[in-house]
Amino acid sequence: MTTLENRPDTALLVIDVQKGVVGEAHDRDAVVANVAALVDKARAAGAAVVWVQHNSDELVSGSESWSYVPELVRDEAEPLVQKEYADSFEATELESVLAGRGIGRLVVAGAQTDECIRATLHGAFTRGYDVTLVRDAHTTEDLTSFGAPPPDKVIAHTNLYWRYHKAPGRTAGTVSTADVDFGPAEKPADEPVE
């Protein structure tokens, strides 16, 4: 249903599950286990797995904190996109990676919910992608000292608003890890099937 032409395929987008990002994250072990299960599920279904890795003053390329967590191992054939901004599309090669693989639907997991996950959800959606957030496979750290809600509330709110997000010709929504389907998105009942 994506508004992108000739892009019928689905990819799992794994965002910033790096040691320095999720080290103190809410429910870290359960979320990382769910991301690992999604990676296995995507590979078994023949769906692309695209990895995104943040670079900053705190996450210096090649450093320990910059590295992905040991529970997640990228296959050498799977794309790895380096980024410097919250939106994984901003000033990166992500769009060309997805276009080259005919991908119009994204299943999103990773960190941090209130920054890179949200920015990428919106960035993908405004670019024409169908975007599904895996509600039990994203997390954030406790930023209450900066005035943010507790992490479980940030996650719950993001799941709530993305579940009901809408725009013409695109789909959004949430799904649990157990219920993720890496096949093509189904057309809503009110649209004709071609």
Side-chain angles (χ1 to χ4, degrees), residues 27-127:
D27 211 10
R28 180 243 186 245
D29 293 345
V31 169
V32 170
N34 285 342
V35 174
L38 290 167
V39 170
D40 291 344
K41 204 177 218 187
R43 289 172 177 162
V49 179
V50 179
W51 304 79
V52 178
Q53 191 168 31
H54 198 80
N55 295 268
S56 68
D57 291 342
E58 295 80 28
L59 300 167
V60 177
S61 179
S63 69
E64 188 69 16
S65 63
W66 174 82
S67 302
Y68 254 77
V69 298
E71 298 95 325
L72 299 176
V73 179
R74 181 179 70 91
D75 183 289
E76 287 297 319
E78 294 167 343
L80 175 60
V81 175
Q82 300 294 324
K83 72 176 178 67
E84 295 180 19
Y85 300 100
D87 179 353
S88 298
F89 289 89
E90 192 68 42
T92 71
E93 63 182 358
L94 181 57
E95 170 55 28
S96 62
V97 166
L98 299 173
R101 289 166 173 75
I103 294 164
R105 177 175 173 245
L106 298 176
V107 175
V108 176
Q112 295 209 70
T113 300
D114 42 0
E115 185 67 15
C116 298
I117 294 295
R118 285 186 184 175
T120 300
L121 290 173
H122 290 283
F125 204 65
T126 59
R127 287 173 174 89

